[in-house]
Coordinates of all heavy atoms in Angstrom, one line a residue:
M464 N -21.9 18.2 11.5 CA -21.2 16.9 11.8 C -19.7 17.1 11.8 O -19.2 17.8 11.0 CB -21.5 15.8 10.7 CG -23.0 15.5 10.5 SD -23.7 14.7 12.0 CE -25.4 14.9 11.7
P465 N -19.0 16.4 12.7 CA -19.6 15.5 13.8 C -19.9 16.3 15.1 O -20.2 15.6 16.1 CB -18.4 14.6 14.0 CG -17.2 15.4 13.8 CD -17.5 16.5 12.8
W466 N -19.8 17.6 15.1 CA -19.9 18.4 16.3 C -21.2 18.4 17.0 O -21.3 18.4 18.2 CB -19.4 19.8 16.1 CG -18.0 19.7 15.5 CD1 -17.6 20.1 14.3 CD2 -16.8 19.2 16.2 NE1 -16.3 19.7 14.1 CE2 -15.8 19.2 15.2 CE3 -16.6 18.7 17.4 CZ2 -14.5 18.8 15.5 CZ3 -15.3 18.3 17.7 CH2 -14.3 18.3 16.8
S467 N -22.3 18.1 16.2 CA -23.6 18.1 16.8 C -23.7 17.0 17.8 O -24.1 17.3 19.0 CB -24.6 17.9 15.7 OG -24.3 16.8 14.9
Y468 N -23.4 15.8 17.4 CA -23.5 14.7 18.4 C -22.5 14.7 19.5 O -22.7 14.3 20.6 CB -23.7 13.4 17.7 CG -22.6 12.9 16.8 CD1 -21.5 12.3 17.4 CD2 -22.7 13.0 15.5 CE1 -20.4 11.9 16.6 CE2 -21.7 12.6 14.7 CZ -20.6 12.0 15.2 OH -19.5 11.6 14.4
I469 N -21.2 15.2 19.1 CA -20.2 15.2 20.1 C -20.5 16.2 21.2 O -20.5 15.9 22.4 CB -18.8 15.5 19.5 CG1 -18.4 14.3 18.5 CG2 -17.7 15.7 20.5 CD1 -17.1 14.6 17.8
V470 N -20.8 17.5 20.8 CA -21.0 18.5 21.8 C -22.3 18.2 22.6 O -22.3 18.3 23.8 CB -21.2 19.9 21.1 CG1 -21.6 21.0 22.0 CG2 -19.8 20.2 20.4
N471 N -23.4 17.8 21.9 CA -24.6 17.5 22.6 C -24.5 16.3 23.6 O -25.1 16.3 24.6 CB -25.8 17.4 21.7 CG -26.2 18.8 21.2 OD1 -26.3 19.7 21.9 ND2 -26.5 18.9 19.9
T472 N -23.7 15.3 23.2 CA -23.6 14.2 24.1 C -22.8 14.6 25.3 O -23.1 14.2 26.5 CB -22.7 13.0 23.4 OG1 -23.5 12.6 22.2 CG2 -22.6 11.8 24.3
C473 N -21.8 15.5 25.1 CA -21.0 16.0 26.3 C -21.9 16.8 27.2 O -21.9 16.7 28.4 CB -19.8 16.9 25.8 SG -18.6 16.0 25.0
R474 N -22.8 17.6 26.5 CA -23.8 18.4 27.3 C -24.7 17.6 28.2 O -24.9 17.8 29.3 CB -24.6 19.3 26.4 CG -23.9 20.6 26.0 CD -24.7 21.3 24.9 NE -25.9 22.0 25.5 CZ -26.6 22.9 24.8 NH1 -26.2 23.2 23.6 NH2 -27.6 23.5 25.4
I475 N -25.2 16.5 27.6 CA -26.1 15.6 28.3 C -25.3 15.0 29.5 O -25.8 14.9 30.6 CB -26.6 14.5 27.4 CG1 -27.6 15.2 26.4 CG2 -27.3 13.4 28.1 CD1 -28.1 14.3 25.2
A476 N -24.0 14.6 29.2 CA -23.2 13.9 30.3 C -23.0 14.9 31.4 O -23.1 14.6 32.6 CB -21.9 13.5 29.7
I477 N -22.7 16.2 31.0 CA -22.5 17.2 32.1 C -23.8 17.5 32.9 O -23.8 17.5 34.1 CB -22.0 18.5 31.5 CG1 -20.5 18.3 30.9 CG2 -21.9 19.6 32.5 CD1 -20.0 19.4 30.0
Q478 N -24.9 17.5 32.1 CA -26.1 17.7 32.8 C -26.5 16.6 33.8 O -26.9 16.8 34.9 CB -27.3 18.0 31.9 CG -27.3 19.3 31.2 CD -28.3 19.5 30.1 OE1 -29.1 18.6 29.9 NE2 -28.1 20.5 29.3
N479 N -26.3 15.4 33.3 CA -26.5 14.2 34.2 C -25.6 14.2 35.4 O -26.1 13.9 36.5 CB -26.4 12.9 33.4 CG -27.5 12.7 32.4 OD1 -28.4 13.4 32.4 ND2 -27.3 11.8 31.5
R480 N -24.4 14.6 35.2 CA -23.5 14.6 36.3 C -23.9 15.8 37.3 O -23.9 15.5 38.5 CB -22.0 14.9 35.8 CG -21.0 14.6 36.8 CD -19.7 15.2 36.5 NE -19.8 16.7 36.5 CZ -18.9 17.5 36.2 NH1 -17.8 17.1 35.6 NH2 -19.1 18.8 36.2
N481 N -24.3 16.9 36.7 CA -24.7 18.0 37.6 C -26.0 17.7 38.3 O -26.1 18.0 39.5 CB -25.0 19.3 36.8 CG -23.6 19.9 36.3 OD1 -22.6 19.5 36.8 ND2 -23.7 20.9 35.4
A482 N -26.9 17.0 37.7 CA -28.1 16.7 38.3 C -27.9 15.7 39.5 O -28.6 15.7 40.5 CB -29.1 16.0 37.3
N483 N -26.8 14.9 39.4 CA -26.6 13.9 40.5 C -25.5 14.5 41.4 O -25.1 13.8 42.3 CB -26.1 12.6 39.9 CG -27.2 12.0 39.0 OD1 -28.4 12.1 39.4 ND2 -26.9 11.4 37.9
A484 N -25.0 15.7 41.0 CA -23.9 16.2 41.8 C -24.3 16.5 43.3 O -25.3 16.9 43.6 CB -23.4 17.6 41.2
K485 N -23.4 16.0 44.1 CA -23.6 16.2 45.5 C -23.1 17.6 45.8 O -22.0 18.0 45.7 CB -22.8 15.2 46.3 CG -23.4 13.8 46.4 CD -24.1 13.6 47.7 CE -24.8 12.3 47.8 NZ -26.0 12.1 46.9

Side-chain angles (χ1 to χ4, degrees):
M464 300 294 166
W466 304 108
S467 53
Y468 59 83
I469 294 177
V470 172
N471 283 319
T472 302
C473 293
R474 278 173 73 169
I475 292 170
I477 291 169
Q478 281 169 16
N479 288 348
R480 198 198 62 188
N481 285 351
N483 298 319
K485 281 260 177 291

